[in-house]
Amino acid sequence: MHTFAFPLAAARAAPLSPDRASALLFEYGSMSLRYYAPDKVDRQTPHDQDEIYVVASGSGTFECAGETAPFTTGDALFAPAGAEHRFLDFSDDFAVWVIFYGPVGGEA
């Protein structure tokens, strides 16, 4: 994979990181790009960096810090560092690009 282009097909084929439920695709400074496609249940816990999700495929509901919002392919979602968040009632084809960035604890 190039360091400037990240095809969806390559992301889908990338191996999961040993300690994570997502595949690491790229790192640059404090930013990392990952691909996440949970199987039936999203069991993630809060992360120590801010993150942006871009929905690669599927639909469902995103819950973050006690609020919920529907999402579909192409939507972008934000979870601040430390916030409880998860995907609910998502379709079988659901997957997201995940962009972690910034300092531990999140941006000011």
Side-chain angles (χ1 to χ4, degrees):
M1 199 175 315
H2 298 286
T3 58
F4 58 86
F6 308 96
L8 184 55
R12 287 181 173 148
L16 296 180
S17 297
D19 59 337
R20 306 280 291 266
S22 59
L24 177 63
L25 306 173
F26 178 71
E27 292 181 301
Y28 188 82
S30 72
M31 188 274 298
S32 62
L33 174 65
R34 305 185 78 88
Y35 182 77
Y36 180 54
D39 184 23
K40 301 197 186 345
V41 176
D42 178 12
R43 291 183 170 86
Q44 66 179 309
T45 57
H47 301 102
D48 60 2
Q49 284 181 289
D50 292 331
E51 60 189 301
I52 294 175
Y53 295 99
V54 178
V55 182
S57 60
S59 61
T61 301
F62 183 59
E63 178 181 48
C64 183
E67 295 185 46
T68 60
F71 66 81
T72 191
T73 300
D75 289 353
L77 307 161
F78 173 72
E84 288 281 343
H85 63 283
R86 65 194 31 79
F87 298 99
L88 305 168
D89 304 319
F90 49 87
S91 58
D92 290 340
D93 64 340
F94 171 64
V96 290
W97 298 97
V98 187
I99 303 159
F100 288 98
Y101 67 93
V104 170
E107 296 283 335

PDB file of all heavy atoms in Angstrom, residues 38-52:
ATOM      1  N   PRO A  38     -16.539  -4.391  12.975  1.00  0.00           N
ATOM      2  CA  PRO A  38     -16.939  -5.318  14.040  1.00  0.00           C
ATOM      3  C   PRO A  38     -17.914  -6.374  13.536  1.00  0.00           C
ATOM      4  O   PRO A  38     -18.653  -6.144  12.576  1.00  0.00           O
ATOM      5  CB  PRO A  38     -17.602  -4.401  15.069  1.00  0.00           C
ATOM      6  CG  PRO A  38     -18.065  -3.227  14.299  1.00  0.00           C
ATOM      7  CD  PRO A  38     -17.080  -3.056  13.178  1.00  0.00           C
ATOM      8  N   ASP A  39     -17.895  -7.518  14.193  1.00  0.00           N
ATOM      9  CA  ASP A  39     -18.766  -8.631  13.825  1.00  0.00           C
ATOM     10  C   ASP A  39     -19.924  -8.712  14.812  1.00  0.00           C
ATOM     11  O   ASP A  39     -19.745  -9.179  15.938  1.00  0.00           O
ATOM     12  CB  ASP A  39     -17.963  -9.930  13.810  1.00  0.00           C
ATOM     13  CG  ASP A  39     -18.779 -11.114  13.345  1.00  0.00           C
ATOM     14  OD1 ASP A  39     -19.788 -10.917  12.639  1.00  0.00           O
ATOM     15  OD2 ASP A  39     -18.401 -12.258  13.698  1.00  0.00           O
ATOM     16  N   LYS A  40     -21.061  -8.226  14.451  1.00  0.00           N
ATOM     17  CA  LYS A  40     -22.323  -8.283  15.188  1.00  0.00           C
ATOM     18  C   LYS A  40     -22.401  -7.383  16.430  1.00  0.00           C
ATOM     19  O   LYS A  40     -23.421  -6.798  16.695  1.00  0.00           O
ATOM     20  CB  LYS A  40     -22.669  -9.718  15.562  1.00  0.00           C
ATOM     21  CG  LYS A  40     -22.800 -10.624  14.342  1.00  0.00           C
ATOM     22  CD  LYS A  40     -23.506 -11.886  14.661  1.00  0.00           C
ATOM     23  CE  LYS A  40     -23.549 -12.898  13.551  1.00  0.00           C
ATOM     24  NZ  LYS A  40     -23.224 -12.531  12.215  1.00  0.00           N
ATOM     25  N   VAL A  41     -21.325  -7.279  17.235  1.00  0.00           N
ATOM     26  CA  VAL A  41     -21.331  -6.461  18.449  1.00  0.00           C
ATOM     27  C   VAL A  41     -20.066  -5.615  18.483  1.00  0.00           C
ATOM     28  O   VAL A  41     -18.974  -6.113  18.207  1.00  0.00           O
ATOM     29  CB  VAL A  41     -21.393  -7.352  19.717  1.00  0.00           C
ATOM     30  CG1 VAL A  41     -21.301  -6.508  20.977  1.00  0.00           C
ATOM     31  CG2 VAL A  41     -22.660  -8.189  19.729  1.00  0.00           C
ATOM     32  N   ASP A  42     -20.222  -4.349  18.817  1.00  0.00           N
ATOM     33  CA  ASP A  42     -19.075  -3.440  18.967  1.00  0.00           C
ATOM     34  C   ASP A  42     -18.690  -3.424  20.439  1.00  0.00           C
ATOM     35  O   ASP A  42     -19.419  -2.907  21.272  1.00  0.00           O
ATOM     36  CB  ASP A  42     -19.464  -2.040  18.485  1.00  0.00           C
ATOM     37  CG  ASP A  42     -18.348  -1.031  18.642  1.00  0.00           C
ATOM     38  OD1 ASP A  42     -17.195  -1.429  18.904  1.00  0.00           O
ATOM     39  OD2 ASP A  42     -18.631   0.171  18.513  1.00  0.00           O
ATOM     40  N   ARG A  43     -17.516  -3.976  20.741  1.00  0.00           N
ATOM     41  CA  ARG A  43     -17.072  -4.091  22.131  1.00  0.00           C
ATOM     42  C   ARG A  43     -15.978  -3.095  22.499  1.00  0.00           C
ATOM     43  O   ARG A  43     -15.275  -3.281  23.475  1.00  0.00           O
ATOM     44  CB  ARG A  43     -16.564  -5.509  22.369  1.00  0.00           C
ATOM     45  CG  ARG A  43     -17.657  -6.547  22.341  1.00  0.00           C
ATOM     46  CD  ARG A  43     -17.123  -7.937  22.662  1.00  0.00           C
ATOM     47  NE  ARG A  43     -18.195  -8.881  22.854  1.00  0.00           N
ATOM     48  CZ  ARG A  43     -18.787  -9.557  21.888  1.00  0.00           C
ATOM     49  NH1 ARG A  43     -18.401  -9.386  20.643  1.00  0.00           N
ATOM     50  NH2 ARG A  43     -19.764 -10.404  22.150  1.00  0.00           N
ATOM     51  N   GLN A  44     -15.844  -2.045  21.721  1.00  0.00           N
ATOM     52  CA  GLN A  44     -14.749  -1.114  22.008  1.00  0.00           C
ATOM     53  C   GLN A  44     -14.959  -0.365  23.314  1.00  0.00           C
ATOM     54  O   GLN A  44     -16.078  -0.233  23.811  1.00  0.00           O
ATOM     55  CB  GLN A  44     -14.528  -0.161  20.848  1.00  0.00           C
ATOM     56  CG  GLN A  44     -15.652   0.807  20.569  1.00  0.00           C
ATOM     57  CD  GLN A  44     -15.312   1.703  19.414  1.00  0.00           C
ATOM     58  OE1 GLN A  44     -14.256   2.313  19.384  1.00  0.00           O
ATOM     59  NE2 GLN A  44     -16.205   1.774  18.447  1.00  0.00           N
ATOM     60  N   THR A  45     -13.860   0.092  23.860  1.00  0.00           N
ATOM     61  CA  THR A  45     -13.840   0.879  25.083  1.00  0.00           C
ATOM     62  C   THR A  45     -13.290   2.261  24.730  1.00  0.00           C
ATOM     63  O   THR A  45     -12.753   2.453  23.630  1.00  0.00           O
ATOM     64  CB  THR A  45     -12.964   0.200  26.152  1.00  0.00           C
ATOM     65  OG1 THR A  45     -11.651   0.018  25.619  1.00  0.00           O
ATOM     66  CG2 THR A  45     -13.540  -1.156  26.552  1.00  0.00           C
ATOM     67  N   PRO A  46     -13.407   3.240  25.642  1.00  0.00           N
ATOM     68  CA  PRO A  46     -12.901   4.581  25.324  1.00  0.00           C
ATOM     69  C   PRO A  46     -11.416   4.556  24.950  1.00  0.00           C
ATOM     70  O   PRO A  46     -10.642   3.744  25.463  1.00  0.00           O
ATOM     71  CB  PRO A  46     -13.114   5.350  26.627  1.00  0.00           C
ATOM     72  CG  PRO A  46     -14.248   4.660  27.286  1.00  0.00           C
ATOM     73  CD  PRO A  46     -14.051   3.197  26.955  1.00  0.00           C
ATOM     74  N   HIS A  47     -11.050   5.455  24.064  1.00  0.00           N
ATOM     75  CA  HIS A  47      -9.672   5.569  23.601  1.00  0.00           C
ATOM     76  C   HIS A  47      -9.013   6.805  24.199  1.00  0.00           C
ATOM     77  O   HIS A  47      -9.687   7.729  24.631  1.00  0.00           O
ATOM     78  CB  HIS A  47      -9.651   5.638  22.070  1.00  0.00           C
ATOM     79  CG  HIS A  47     -10.278   4.443  21.445  1.00  0.00           C
ATOM     80  ND1 HIS A  47     -11.556   4.468  20.934  1.00  0.00           N
ATOM     81  CD2 HIS A  47      -9.823   3.187  21.253  1.00  0.00           C
ATOM     82  CE1 HIS A  47     -11.864   3.276  20.459  1.00  0.00           C
ATOM     83  NE2 HIS A  47     -10.832   2.474  20.647  1.00  0.00           N
ATOM     84  N   ASP A  48      -7.685   6.826  24.175  1.00  0.00           N
ATOM     85  CA  ASP A  48      -6.975   7.947  24.806  1.00  0.00           C
ATOM     86  C   ASP A  48      -6.677   9.099  23.850  1.00  0.00           C
ATOM     87  O   ASP A  48      -6.092  10.100  24.261  1.00  0.00           O
ATOM     88  CB  ASP A  48      -5.700   7.466  25.499  1.00  0.00           C
ATOM     89  CG  ASP A  48      -4.713   6.798  24.569  1.00  0.00           C
ATOM     90  OD1 ASP A  48      -4.975   6.714  23.357  1.00  0.00           O
ATOM     91  OD2 ASP A  48      -3.659   6.359  25.061  1.00  0.00           O
ATOM     92  N   GLN A  49      -7.093   8.968  22.585  1.00  0.00           N
ATOM     93  CA  GLN A  49      -6.961  10.066  21.613  1.00  0.00           C
ATOM     94  C   GLN A  49      -8.333  10.387  21.043  1.00  0.00           C
ATOM     95  O   GLN A  49      -9.229   9.549  21.045  1.00  0.00           O
ATOM     96  CB  GLN A  49      -6.054   9.658  20.446  1.00  0.00           C
ATOM     97  CG  GLN A  49      -4.586   9.650  20.734  1.00  0.00           C
ATOM     98  CD  GLN A  49      -3.829   9.257  19.479  1.00  0.00           C
ATOM     99  OE1 GLN A  49      -3.875   8.110  19.060  1.00  0.00           O
ATOM    100  NE2 GLN A  49      -3.142  10.218  18.883  1.00  0.00           N
ATOM    101  N   ASP A  50      -8.487  11.604  20.509  1.00  0.00           N
ATOM    102  CA  ASP A  50      -9.692  11.944  19.749  1.00  0.00           C
ATOM    103  C   ASP A  50      -9.730  11.070  18.512  1.00  0.00           C
ATOM    104  O   ASP A  50      -8.686  10.631  18.002  1.00  0.00           O
ATOM    105  CB  ASP A  50      -9.661  13.413  19.328  1.00  0.00           C
ATOM    106  CG  ASP A  50      -9.777  14.379  20.499  1.00  0.00           C
ATOM    107  OD1 ASP A  50     -10.395  14.019  21.521  1.00  0.00           O
ATOM    108  OD2 ASP A  50      -9.237  15.496  20.380  1.00  0.00           O
ATOM    109  N   GLU A  51     -10.937  10.822  18.002  1.00  0.00           N
ATOM    110  CA  GLU A  51     -11.040  10.014  16.798  1.00  0.00           C
ATOM    111  C   GLU A  51     -12.195  10.448  15.915  1.00  0.00           C
ATOM    112  O   GLU A  51     -13.218  10.940  16.385  1.00  0.00           O
ATOM    113  CB  GLU A  51     -11.144   8.529  17.115  1.00  0.00           C
ATOM    114  CG  GLU A  51     -12.317   8.138  17.954  1.00  0.00           C
ATOM    115  CD  GLU A  51     -12.250   6.700  18.410  1.00  0.00           C
ATOM    116  OE1 GLU A  51     -12.191   5.782  17.565  1.00  0.00           O
ATOM    117  OE2 GLU A  51     -12.277   6.477  19.626  1.00  0.00           O
ATOM    118  N   ILE A  52     -11.975  10.267  14.637  1.00  0.00           N
ATOM    119  CA  ILE A  52     -13.000  10.506  13.627  1.00  0.00           C
ATOM    120  C   ILE A  52     -13.233   9.196  12.899  1.00  0.00           C
ATOM    121  O   ILE A  52     -12.286   8.495  12.528  1.00  0.00           O
ATOM    122  CB  ILE A  52     -12.573  11.602  12.636  1.00  0.00           C
ATOM    123  CG1 ILE A  52     -12.472  12.944  13.364  1.00  0.00           C
ATOM    124  CG2 ILE A  52     -13.543  11.676  11.453  1.00  0.00           C
ATOM    125  CD1 ILE A  52     -11.937  14.058  12.517  1.00  0.00           C
TER     126      ILE A  52
END
